Amino acid sequence: MLNTRTITRERIAAVEPRIRQYVRHTPVMRVDMADFGCPAFAVDLKLECLQHSGSFKARGAFTNLLERQVPEAGVVAASGGNHGAAVAYAAMKLGHMATIFVPEVSPSAKLARIRGYGAELVVGGARYAEALAASEEFAARTGALQVHAFNQEETLLGQGTLGLEIEADLPEIDTLLVAVGGGGLIGGIAAWFAGRIRIVAIEPEGAPTLYRALEAGRPVDAPAEGIAADSLAPKRVGEMMFPIAEAFVERSILVSDDDIVAAQKALWDRVRIIAEPGGAAAFAAMLSGRYVPADGERVAVLICGSNTNPANF
């Protein structure tokens, strides 16, 4: 298990120049919650949904492929969709073969992205855990490099560069709301900030991986259901990020599927931002009132993925 002395600000800062030419510095948009039918309150949206491959995952994917030795057999990843698309995109850009295993729950928009980047796509199993097992068997048989979606040192370091970027964009924020699935994103970001701002995890009620782990004091199995199951529903939160979360994540807040759909619709209707369910989950906490900021609190919300079709909501 990694600890807070392993995924450090110094290591994240060292990785950032390595991946800079391959990832976008994504924009920030300030919105007034009054425009969404809530009490007036300024919130900054970090639009990582505009990243290459449609999500923040490109950061961890490029870090893995640039910091590790890629064999002739290429790379293999299991994914609900976004990580697979990011690994496929990074492999295409860097000239490697990629094989991506996804469960049957993965939406067509994500499968199309993976195929579009030239990867070999294997669909099978009801949930992420089954795709992961199949990818591990493939790696053992072929020698391909496994790139884990969240429980991998380089993945955490790469996602941590988003924390570095958010601090550069928004140096005055007090609080950052971050959606959680396996925890690679919030783990990397929390390691970067290291307690200097409030980091609040947002999770679907149907997939409370970090919520259950914080209750238990260790990663434990949680349900893997709900509208965001393709991106926010692994069986349990990552072992590597959990010590970081214990140290630096203030708490986890659960939102309902209805909250998430309402957030998707509001982002599209009011500001023309396309967010998939997992990408909209953090904003759902603000819109639903499940996170209530204090007077004068400076809040940022991470919109982390856009691999969906707005016609779906």
Side-chain angles (χ1 to χ4, degrees), residues 254-302:
L254 303 181
V255 293
S256 71
D257 280 0
D258 287 345
D259 295 335
I260 291 171
V261 172
Q264 287 184 279
K265 290 179 177 177
L267 287 167
W268 176 244
D269 290 342
R270 302 299 180 179
V271 287
R272 281 302 187 257
I273 293 170
I274 296 174
E276 65 188 86
F283 187 69
M286 285 293 301
L287 187 67
S288 67
R290 298 201 185 205
Y291 183 81
V292 179
D295 290 343
E297 185 178 350
R298 294 161 296 187
V299 178
V301 175
L302 181 56

Side-chain angles (χ1 to χ4, degrees), residues 15-275:
V15 159
E16 198 276 342
R18 288 274 282 152
I19 68 170
R20 173 47 46 204
Q21 66 177 302
Y22 300 107
V23 299
R24 291 180 178 136
H25 187 130
T26 51
V28 170
M29 174 187 290
R30 178 160 293 180
V31 299
D32 188 337
M33 292 304 297
D35 292 336
F36 299 90
C38 301
F41 189 85
V43 173
D44 290 303
L45 306 180
K46 176 62 169 174
L47 301 180
E48 189 67 6
C49 51
L50 301 179
Q51 187 54 260
H52 289 301
S53 76
S55 82
F56 70 93
K57 297 280 192 177
R59 297 173 184 270
F62 275 108
T63 302
N64 271 279
L65 271 62
L66 291 167
E67 294 290 311
R68 301 168 68 193
Q69 186 68 40
V70 179
E72 188 175 338
V75 297
V76 59
S79 170
N82 284 343
H83 175 62
V87 171
Y89 175 79
M92 178 186 72
K93 284 293 184 181
L94 297 174
H96 301 297
M97 293 189 300
T99 304
I100 309 299
F101 289 79
V102 300
E104 294 159 2
V105 72
S106 297
S108 59
K110 297 184 180 183
L111 303 187
R113 271 204 186 265
I114 293 168
R115 290 191 181 100
Y117 296 140
E120 182 73 23
L121 180 65
V122 182
V123 181
R127 287 289 184 263
Y128 168 77
E130 293 166 77
L132 178 61
S135 74
E136 290 170 343
E137 187 279 329
F138 178 88
R141 177 164 45 85
T142 66
L145 179 71
Q146 294 183 74
V147 182
H148 198 281
F150 52 88
N151 202 39
Q152 177 74 41
E153 183 174 339
E154 288 80 8
T155 302
L156 285 159
L157 291 169
Q159 317 315 20
T161 67
L162 183 49
L164 181 158
E165 192 170 296
I166 289 169
E167 183 169 28
D169 292 341
L170 300 167
E172 303 301 318
I173 61 171
D174 302 308
T175 303
L176 177 64
L177 307 188
V178 183
V180 174
L185 176 61
I186 200 169
I189 289 174
W192 173 259
F193 282 105
R196 291 176 297 118
I197 68 169
R198 182 181 298 110
I199 304 289
V200 179
I202 311 298
E203 301 183 84
E205 290 176 342
T209 54
L210 183 58
Y211 187 92
R212 291 280 182 90
L214 292 172
E215 279 187 330
R218 58 185 175 84
V220 293
D221 287 356
E225 305 298 336
I227 193 171
D230 62 298
S231 58
L232 301 183
K235 183 179 290 188
R236 60 170 61 191
V237 78
E239 297 278 347
M240 290 184 176
M241 66 75 62
F242 184 68
I244 302 170
E246 275 199 310
F248 300 133
V249 174
E250 183 187 81
R251 68 187 188 275
S252 173
I253 294 172
L254 303 181
V255 293
S256 71
D257 280 0
D258 287 345
D259 295 335
I260 291 171
V261 172
Q264 287 184 279
K265 290 179 177 177
L267 287 167
W268 176 244
D269 290 342
R270 302 299 180 179
V271 287
R272 281 302 187 257
I273 293 170
I274 296 174

